Amino acid sequence: MDLARTEVTHTAARRRGSAARLGLMAVPVAFFAVFFAYPVTAIVARGLKAGGTWHLGRIGDVLAQSDVRQVLWFTTWQALVSTVLTLLIALPGAYVFARFDFPGKQVLRAVITVPFVLPTVVVGTAFMALVGRGGLLDELWGLRLDTTVWAILLAHVFFNYAVVVRTVGGLWAQLDPRQEEAARMLGASRFAAWRTVTLPALAPAVAAAALMVFMFTFTSFGVVQILGGPTFSTLEVEIYRQTSEIFDLSTAAVLTMIQFVAVGVILALHAWTVRRRETALRLVDASLTARRPRGAGQWALLGGVVATVTVLLLLPLAVLVQRSFGTAGLGHYRELTHDDGGVFLVAPIEAVGNSLRYAVAATAIAVVIGALAAFALTRRDAGRLVRGFDALLMLPLGVSAVTVGFGFLIALDEPPLDLRASWILVPLAQALVGVPFVVRTMLPVLRAVDVRLREAAAVLGASPWRAWREVDLPLVRRALLIAAGFAFAVSLGEFGATVFIARPENPTLPVAVARLLGRPGELNYGQAMALSTILMIVCAVALLVLERLRTDRTGEF
């Protein structure tokens, strides 16, 4: 009798927990419906609907344009090439970080992650200082790459190197090396053992990393905007041009729909590979698999990875800092404190304070929404509704930020949501990008919490809120801090949406950098480099704090 009563009590607790999770989903769903789905739908409808009639034939008209087909082709092939190059260059690094233990490993891990959290505007500016007119390569050898696609491809590798190293390396470090050693003992060569044992186990992680890199490069905006000039244009850049320069909303709407469908397919494939990685492998403690390099070959591999990181990741950032000083010393930094009365209504240095205030507000919003969403997704055996909700949370990473930003201006312009003159508009747009990082950081830790602890708290009479506060929160506090740090860094560098909605008297750092780069003159160029350096330092400091908090159980991107 007591056993049956206990079972009934546990069943009731599980039902209350499921009901609580569904209730928690309501807040993120409402947030995304109002501040993501509504603006995107509004801008697409504005482009395809006129006089109360839908003009769907416009889709075929736009796709028939040769320049649009050229943009689609360039967007696709540069994303494919960028993905392949990133995998080829970063996979050796993934192996080194997974299997080798060496002095300075934690610092080097933080260094390779800095580019990923840098705003794309800073990445474009850094490569402009390296390969552009008057850049380091131009000064040394008269070599310029800013008018070629190679500058874009290298910048994409720079930006996504850490995605491959952390995604693939995180799994590689947890694969039991004894399985490969057993194949070697049975007569397989080193390469054959790796190809037949390790590579199939790594395939889901490699596929997931490749899909993430492809999505980031397929939707590339800031890098292509700065390095591509008038010659190269991705879908995202073309949406911006059609919206802000040509004012052709119908073409922009069609391109947005194309990008939305493409990103949806990519996210579906990514979700499938992630589920396969989670369920198909037997893993071991990552701390038990790393060891000191042995032999000349392994030390050479380590040296090659360090050299790659130095040349590909550190050199552009070092050139960026050097160009910020130029021949004027601190002159470019001092000029940031002056109001030039031109494109800026305030001194450019005020963009630092604006960015920090916006990022703090966006982080608070992203942490609240993301934490509620992550808790709602804790059950692995969730149904299609919850899995669809998980996919919804990832959409802002791939849907055009330009469309979201312009959609804010179109949709949120009348009561009760007339927010065009409100400062909160910028943090809301930035929080949309931060929420997926919060969810992806907290979800693995929440799923690792023993569900029986929550059920025991519920049996003892604790409400779902008290159970979360007393059971989950102490266990996920560190992951919550890391999630907040990622949301802060991402919000700090958001550009695509902010460029539309940031008011002229309150520019953010990425917007200020883009404005300075768009003006001729050495002084404007130097100030852009100085602001980019400031933004890079703020992001790097935030990342170093995260690296001190990070644990192997916290998950990766």
Side-chain angles (χ1 to χ4, degrees), residues 135-223:
L136 181 63
L137 298 185
D138 191 15
E139 290 181 354
L140 293 178
W141 299 296
L143 178 63
R144 288 182 57 190
L145 298 178
D146 58 322
T147 56
T148 71
V149 73
W150 279 106
I152 296 173
L153 297 178
L154 290 175
H156 284 162
V157 175
F158 168 92
F159 189 76
N160 293 292
Y161 185 91
V163 175
V164 176
V165 170
R166 288 200 170 234
T167 303
V168 179
L171 177 62
W172 209 334
Q174 294 178 283
L175 294 181
D176 192 341
R178 290 174 296 183
Q179 298 177 19
E180 189 173 323
E181 293 171 0
R184 294 286 308 280
M185 292 180 63
L186 294 174
S189 64
R190 183 182 298 275
F191 176 75
W194 179 83
R195 179 176 57 81
T196 58
V197 177
T198 304
L199 182 58
L202 287 177
V206 174
L211 286 167
M212 289 182 68
V213 173
F214 184 85
M215 183 177 69
F216 290 141
T217 52
F218 187 85
T219 58
S220 182
F221 177 55
V223 167

Side-chain angles (χ1 to χ4, degrees), residues 154-498:
L154 290 175
H156 284 162
V157 175
F158 168 92
F159 189 76
N160 293 292
Y161 185 91
V163 175
V164 176
V165 170
R166 288 200 170 234
T167 303
V168 179
L171 177 62
W172 209 334
Q174 294 178 283
L175 294 181
D176 192 341
R178 290 174 296 183
Q179 298 177 19
E180 189 173 323
E181 293 171 0
R184 294 286 308 280
M185 292 180 63
L186 294 174
S189 64
R190 183 182 298 275
F191 176 75
W194 179 83
R195 179 176 57 81
T196 58
V197 177
T198 304
L199 182 58
L202 287 177
V206 174
L211 286 167
M212 289 182 68
V213 173
F214 184 85
M215 183 177 69
F216 290 141
T217 52
F218 187 85
T219 58
S220 182
F221 177 55
V223 167
V224 181
Q225 177 79 352
I226 292 175
L227 296 176
T231 307
F232 303 107
S233 179
T234 57
L235 271 173
E236 187 84 355
V237 174
E238 188 63 18
I239 292 170
Y240 175 78
R241 189 174 74 89
Q242 295 288 341
T243 303
S244 63
E245 298 177 9
I246 303 177
F247 304 107
D248 186 351
L249 292 186
S250 63
T251 299
V254 172
L255 296 179
T256 297
M257 292 173 64
I258 294 172
Q259 182 165 303
F260 185 83
V261 171
V263 167
V265 172
I266 295 170
L267 289 177
L269 291 172
H270 181 267
W272 178 76
T273 57
V274 169
R275 286 198 300 272
R276 183 181 169 197
R277 181 177 60 179
E278 287 179 345
T279 58
L281 298 175
R282 180 169 57 86
L283 306 177
V284 298
D285 188 346
S287 63
L288 303 178
T289 62
R291 53 176 174 74
R292 297 277 293 184
R294 293 181 294 195
Q298 292 187 356
W299 281 107
L301 177 59
L302 175 59
V305 169
V306 172
T308 299
V309 170
T310 301
V311 174
L312 181 64
L313 306 186
L314 292 182
L315 183 60
L317 301 180
V319 174
L320 173 67
V321 175
Q322 186 272 329
R323 288 293 190 272
S324 72
F325 293 101
T327 58
L330 294 174
H332 294 150
Y333 290 89
R334 284 193 291 266
E335 286 296 326
L336 294 177
T337 62
H338 299 152
D339 178 9
D340 63 0
V343 71
F344 290 101
L345 301 180
V346 295
I349 194 63
E350 292 194 20
V352 177
N354 294 333
S355 287
L356 292 175
R357 286 191 294 271
Y358 287 144
V360 169
T363 300
I365 297 170
V367 166
V368 171
I369 300 298
L372 292 175
F375 187 75
L377 293 168
T378 50
R379 287 187 59 182
R380 291 180 181 272
D381 58 345
R384 293 182 180 180
L385 176 64
V386 176
R387 289 199 296 269
F389 173 62
D390 192 8
L392 169 68
L393 297 173
M394 296 295 290
L395 282 179
L397 291 181
V399 173
S400 169
V402 171
T403 300
V404 173
F406 198 60
F408 268 38
L409 297 181
I410 295 294
L412 306 179
D413 63 342
E414 58 185 7
L417 288 174
D418 186 2
L419 301 176
R420 286 182 301 174
S422 174
W423 66 273
I424 197 64
L425 204 61
V426 174
L428 285 171
Q430 294 175 346
L432 284 172
V433 184
V435 168
F437 288 90
V438 175
V439 174
R440 294 272 77 83
T441 302
M442 293 190 62
L443 192 55
V445 180
L446 282 169
R447 283 179 171 170
V449 176
D450 192 339
V451 68
R452 291 172 296 183
L453 296 176
R454 300 190 189 106
E455 293 176 354
V459 168
L460 293 174
S463 66
W465 161 247
R466 185 177 179 184
W468 184 86
R469 189 184 39 158
E470 306 242 353
V471 175
D472 293 86
L473 184 58
L475 297 174
V476 303
R477 185 179 290 113
R478 179 170 295 188
L480 188 65
L481 291 174
I482 293 175
F486 268 120
F488 178 81
V490 171
S491 302
L492 199 65
E494 204 287 322
F495 176 63
T498 307

